[in-house]
Amino acid sequence: MMAIKEIEKKEWGEYFNSFSKKYLKDEEPEYVEIRVLSDSMGAQQATTWVLLKGITYDAKGDLLDIRLEDSSHIIHKPKEIYVTENKDGWILNLEVIQEDGTKDIIETR
């Protein structure tokens, strides 16, 4: 069974570095789809199944960088991060909540 869990802010850097090293360094391509939900704009499709290169959190700049095949999806000043993992620790779904309530929903396959 998969459970949604909150990742504490102090753990973000290590959590995403470990995930990227463990899962994104092999030959097997991994893909993500990103949707952004906000009160002002509603639901916006940011990407449709693009190659995921890595996920890092920069504490100094307070930003989450989701590196894609030919760009980055950067989330400034994330407030909360929730993940759904499978039993092996692979992130199936990532939900990032920003200060203004905007949610970035990142799904993998």
Side-chain angles (χ1 to χ4, degrees):
M1 179 161 151
M2 291 157 284
I4 296 172
K5 69 178 184 180
E6 181 173 4
I7 307 300
E8 295 297 323
K9 189 163 191 161
K10 65 184 185 305
E11 299 169 5
W12 291 352
E14 179 56 34
Y15 179 84
F16 291 113
N17 284 341
S18 297
F19 174 81
S20 294
K21 283 185 181 125
K22 183 173 180 182
Y23 292 107
L24 302 177
K25 300 299 182 208
D26 58 20
E27 298 302 309
E28 186 73 26
E30 308 296 353
Y31 294 89
V32 294
E33 181 169 81
I34 302 172
R35 292 188 314 280
V36 180
L37 306 160
S38 73
D39 290 341
S40 59
M41 307 230 308
Q44 301 287 314
Q45 192 79 26
T47 69
T48 305
W49 301 117
V50 293
L51 195 60
L52 175 64
K53 293 292 196 176
I55 303 173
T56 55
Y57 174 69
D58 172 11
K60 192 173 167 190
D62 194 16
L63 57 88
L64 188 68
D65 181 3
I66 299 155
R67 288 188 313 278
L68 308 171
E69 186 170 26
D70 51 10
S71 64
S72 275
H73 181 79
I74 295 178
I75 302 166
H76 297 276
K77 296 185 175 24
K79 190 173 82 170
E80 297 168 47
I81 297 179
Y82 297 90
V83 296
T84 306
E85 298 175 339
N86 69 12
K87 62 180 173 31
D88 298 323
W90 169 255
I91 298 172
L92 300 167
N93 189 300
L94 177 65
E95 183 173 313
V96 182
I97 302 171
Q98 299 176 40
E99 287 291 333
D100 67 357
T102 298
K103 290 181 185 175
D104 294 74
I105 312 288
I106 298 100
E107 289 183 62
T108 64
R109 73 169 183 204

